[in-house]
Amino acid sequence: MEKLMIAGGYPLKGTVRISGAKNSAVALIPATILADSPVTIEGLPDISDVQILKGLLEEIGGSVDFADNDMTVDPSSMISMPLPNGKVKKLRASYYLMGAMLGRFKKAVIGLPGGCHLGPRPIDQHIKGFEALGASVTNEQGAIYLRADELKGARIYLDVVSVGATINIMLAAVRAKGKTIIENAAKEPEIIDVATLLTNMGAKIKGAGTDVIRIEGVDQLHGCRHTIIPDRIEAGTYLILGAAAGEGILIDNVIPQHLESLIAKLREMGVNIEAGDDQIFVSPAEKMKAVDIKTLVYPGFPTDLQQPFTSLLTGAEGTSMVTDTIYGARFKHIDELRRMNAGIKVEGRSAIINGPIRLQGAKVKASDLRAGAALVIAGLKAEGITEVTGLEHIDRGYSHLVEKLNGLGATIWRENLTKEEMEQMKNA
Ligand code: EPU
């Protein structure tokens, strides 16, 4: 096991290229199950979630070739093997295997998903959708059993706006009989990306990216080539980093429209941002002003950037409030930031940050993926050395993080944990 070592205080500058979107990748890869001939997805990120999904497709008989960020999946020999445990538990997005396998085989057995611990993360809306399409869904000893004689299109109203439920229902409905209408659907760019792949495979989908998605089921889907969208959360993380510890960073391969809420907030703080077609240049404010943010569904401020943004706010003049309306308990990074001298308290769903504070390097632990990003940003702007454990979370979502940061002039490296640290981790 490794930890991340960060020597803080070096100003970062240069260009960083953004990888393919993690939250698209984890849906696009399972979507290939629905085809009857090879599908190629170009530009996938090098992250552990992608490797785990590759392994899962191979477990059910898929032939998968993954090189230079492009993955070709031949799904023709896949069978509906139960996937109750093991790899499934390593990532939340394994729930997309439910929709995809149900759509193709009309049955699936999938273990309850794992992933980041952000408080309760139910999948009741996914199940509501599968049931509306005619599937029986039962939870037996920690695995979800899905069975249907046939899937029939239905009108499904989501009680909660959910990215996962919207995509999962789309995956099952594209091969159902007749018309499905998803109302109160999520509108995130990743949903449009998945709908684009499915459409290239022969599916009939209208309205992806709005809150009503209409799907006309088809009997068969075929192979195709698809290029993934850039990762707006990775791009947002580097934008925040550029504001916190940069001396001018150019973010390349980004869709600026996907980050409007973040860009607006950064500008409100006094950060300089110039957005081009597929690049954004960021340089720090002379004096950063405190701001309040509230996370919302897209196009609101993304919950996935709330934690990195908190690290930035420790350097802003005044009191800021960060409220997470999506995951009210996504604040495990706060105790760690406090170890680094930040003045933050949590009240209910909000964190209140007093700044500006000079952060100090410390030994901290990433409890989840974006908490990890928050601690890396904090470490890069802190005085002295910061050691971040819990690297397995960061590796789930940030492609070549150490290389990209060193390319910007950071001093950051991976080190093996000492025996003593391994013991401490086991007992924690
Ligand atoms: N919810 C329900 N019932 C459901 C589904 C969701 O109550 O059946 C609730 C959740 O508890 C949450 C809200 O609805 O309060 C939104 O959850 P959503 O389903 O949209 O989240 P998700 O699809 O499981 C994706 C991303 C998350 C991101 C959220 C919100 C993937 C694989 N994950 O999760 O990304 O935080 O949308 O935008 O796409 C991350 O990248 O770090 C990450 C956690």
Side-chain angles (χ1 to χ4, degrees), residues 23 95 122-125 160 162-164 304 326-327 330 370:
N23 288 344
Y95 53 42
I123 56 164
D124 55 302
Q125 298 303 308
V160 182
S162 158
V163 177
D304 296 340
I326 312 287
Y327 296 113
R330 202 172 194 175
R370 309 301 172 187

Side-chain angles (χ1 to χ4, degrees), residues 22-23 26 92-93 95-96 116 118 120-126 160-165 188 232-233 303-304 325-327 330 369-370:
K22 162 189 167 277
N23 288 344
V26 296
R92 167 104 183 137
Y95 53 42
Y96 290 132
C116 288
L118 314 176
R121 296 181 75 183
I123 56 164
D124 55 302
Q125 298 303 308
H126 306 229
V160 182
V161 181
S162 158
V163 177
E188 270 68 2
R232 64 193 167 97
I233 305 301
T303 170
D304 296 340
T325 72
I326 312 287
Y327 296 113
R330 202 172 194 175
L369 171 59
R370 309 301 172 187

Side-chain angles (χ1 to χ4, degrees), residues 287-332:
K287 205 176 196 185
M288 250 188 320
K289 285 189 271 234
V291 292
D292 295 342
I293 60 161
K294 196 182 257 188
T295 67
L296 291 168
V297 294
Y298 189 82
F301 194 97
T303 170
D304 296 340
L305 290 175
Q306 171 266 106
Q307 292 158 295
F309 204 80
T310 308
S311 295
L312 172 67
L313 288 173
T314 61
E317 179 98 29
T319 302
S320 306
M321 182 148 89
V322 170
T323 305
D324 200 319
T325 72
I326 312 287
Y327 296 113
R330 202 172 194 175
F331 286 121
K332 291 206 181 113

